[in-house]
Amino acid sequence: MQTVRDKDGDCFRITLGNIAGSVGNFGTIIPLFFAVSLATGMSLSLMFLLCGIWYIITGFVYKIPISVEPLKAIAAVAIAGGVTTGEIAASGIITGTLFCLIGLSGKMQWLATRIPSSVVRGIQLALGLILLQSAIMEFGIHDLSFFIFCLAILALFLLGSRRVHLPDLSALVILCIGIVALLSTTGIPAAAFPTLPVISLPNYQEYVKATWVLVIPQIPLTLANSILATALLSTELFHRRITPDRLSLTIGVMSLSTSMLGGFPMCHGAGGVAAHYRFGARSGGAMIVGGIILICGSVFLTNPATLTAIPGGVFGALLFAVALELVGHGLKTEDPLVSGVMALIAIPAGIAAAFIAGLLLAVFSNYFKQ
């Protein structure tokens, strides 16, 4: 077993669980990158490359599997169409600057103490239900036989882990099956040098449109899920306190750097943390392994059409497992009414609307309790 130690004695263990857990969030990352690339023409290779680099950096910075993933609200609007690559870059620069400033000022911790934990739990529950819907409707139902087959693998590993303490390698096994299916359909993809980052800044009009169309829907989601829920979940799962201000700062730096270099703006996420943990990741070594895999993907997945050869059931099963993990954490709320209403609102209206509704409901709920 290989270990990497820093001067403080912390170690990044490259274990079987970390290898399996390193790909746990790929069921979210890969479909989003793929869809964004098809919808906007952004370089799939460059998105993989920059995300992989930040995977590795995050592993060393946090020493536990703090996820790196695309900004979901921006990705959703981009996939739906109607925005340019310049507007996506502008949204990442604005978002990155905002969260850098908040993190440096220490105000994120102030916000964290004033947002009820039931609202954060509601975000976890809502995100879990949305991912569950996506797993079934967007991936599973279109590849039902493979989806059911992969769910059976998840169930077998879950049973084995509880009965005989078998490491949960289900994500790794499912991803390997998907790669085998890819190779059997297309053969080994031709390797190509990944697209190199080039600094490019949006124009004024792109900043204006990005603010209203992309940034405003993203801010509540980043605040609640990427920062507050991630901070809470990292303490729950890994017994390590990571401050909201620190998460805000790294999100800001990631979004700024990837957007200015032609990639997609990045953040952290409670769903990703749950995914890595669910499949066995326990240290920063998982992020290092995942980053290496993504960088390799930037070499072999330069053609978006290649990814369509991977059965949709693979992504559906991975999303399904992550969704259940998040729902489980969301159900730990101390105020089921607030969290439950948020989950119901999020499915038709989105997480940003659910976040605002949850805040208002929590205020009224506390007022009447007094």
Side-chain angles (χ1 to χ4, degrees):
M1 178 174 65
Q2 181 182 358
T3 59
V4 181
R5 293 180 180 274
D6 66 11
K7 63 183 181 180
D8 296 320
D10 293 309
C11 69
F12 303 88
R13 294 177 294 167
I14 309 300
T15 64
L16 202 56
N18 276 333
I19 293 172
S22 69
V23 303
N25 201 31
F26 283 10
T28 298
I29 293 173
I30 294 177
L32 285 177
F33 278 166
F34 171 55
V36 166
S37 180
L38 287 181
T40 67
M42 292 184 70
S43 168
L44 184 64
S45 172
L46 186 54
M47 286 190 282
F48 269 71
L49 176 64
L50 294 175
C51 183
I53 290 171
W54 273 109
Y55 250 67
I56 294 171
I57 293 173
T58 302
F60 280 104
V61 168
Y62 285 110
K63 304 177 178 65
I64 59 175
I66 296 296
S67 69
V68 174
E69 55 194 55
L71 290 170
K72 292 187 179 67
I74 294 175
V77 176
I79 292 167
V83 295
T84 66
T85 55
E87 288 158 358
I88 293 172
S91 69
I93 292 170
I94 296 169
T95 303
T97 302
L98 174 64
F99 283 102
C100 273
L101 292 175
I102 295 174
L104 289 171
S105 69
K107 296 301 182 182
M108 189 58 68
Q109 187 66 50
W110 179 85
L111 287 172
T113 59
R114 284 157 178 80
I115 296 179
S117 62
S118 60
V119 173
V120 179
R121 293 296 191 189
I123 290 292
Q124 291 176 319
L125 183 59
L127 185 58
L129 292 177
I130 289 172
L131 287 179
L132 195 62
Q133 183 184 43
S134 297
I136 297 171
M137 302 307 296
E138 295 179 22
F139 295 102
I141 201 169
H142 300 297
D143 187 15
L144 194 56
S145 58
F146 216 97
F147 181 57
I148 293 173
F149 174 66
C150 291
L151 288 182
I153 293 174
L154 288 171
L156 286 174
F157 271 98
L158 178 61
L159 184 63
S161 65
R162 293 187 175 181
R163 293 289 180 89
V164 294
H165 303 292
L166 180 73
D168 190 347
L169 308 179
S170 53
L172 190 60
V173 170
I174 291 171
L175 192 62
C176 286
I177 292 172
I179 292 173
V180 169
L182 165 67
L183 296 178
S184 65
T185 303
T186 66
I188 299 175
F193 200 74
T195 305
L196 292 178
V198 177
I199 295 178
S200 177
L201 297 178
N203 59 45
Y204 173 76
Q205 288 79 13
E206 288 171 327
Y207 281 110
V208 172
K209 182 177 178 182
T211 299
W212 293 105
V213 177
L214 299 172
V215 176
I216 291 177
Q218 182 62 58
I219 288 175
L221 178 57
T222 301
L223 175 64
N225 179 63
S226 302
I227 297 175
L228 302 183
T230 298
L232 177 63
L233 202 58
S234 63
T235 301
E236 263 186 12
L237 298 180
F238 301 102
H239 308 290
R240 178 171 298 187
R241 182 176 179 270
I242 295 177
T243 66
D245 292 308
R246 191 179 183 190
L247 290 170
S248 180
L249 183 59
T250 52
I251 286 173
V253 174
M254 283 195 299
S255 274
L256 270 173
S257 62
T258 54
S259 298
M260 292 177 67
L261 294 174
F264 199 86
M266 309 298 295
C267 65
H268 303 304
V273 174
H276 290 303
Y277 183 87
R278 165 70 178 78
F279 293 113
R282 295 296 183 269
S283 76
M287 300 302 294
I288 296 170
V289 172
I292 292 171
I293 294 172
L294 287 169
I295 291 172
C296 289
S298 74
V299 174
F300 289 100
L301 295 176
T302 54
N303 182 2
T306 303
L307 206 57
T308 60
I310 298 179
V314 168
F315 301 130
L318 291 174
L319 281 176
F320 190 89
V322 174
L324 291 183
E325 184 79 27
L326 265 180
V327 168
H329 288 288
L331 291 174
K332 296 177 183 178
T333 179
E334 79 280 2
D335 194 333
L337 176 62
V338 172
S339 301
V341 168
M342 288 178 65
L344 292 175
I345 291 174
I347 294 174
I351 291 183
F355 176 70
I356 295 171
L359 283 177
L360 294 174
L361 186 58
V363 169
F364 282 117
S365 177
N366 290 334
Y367 176 80
F368 286 113
K369 285 180 181 178
Q370 294 174 356

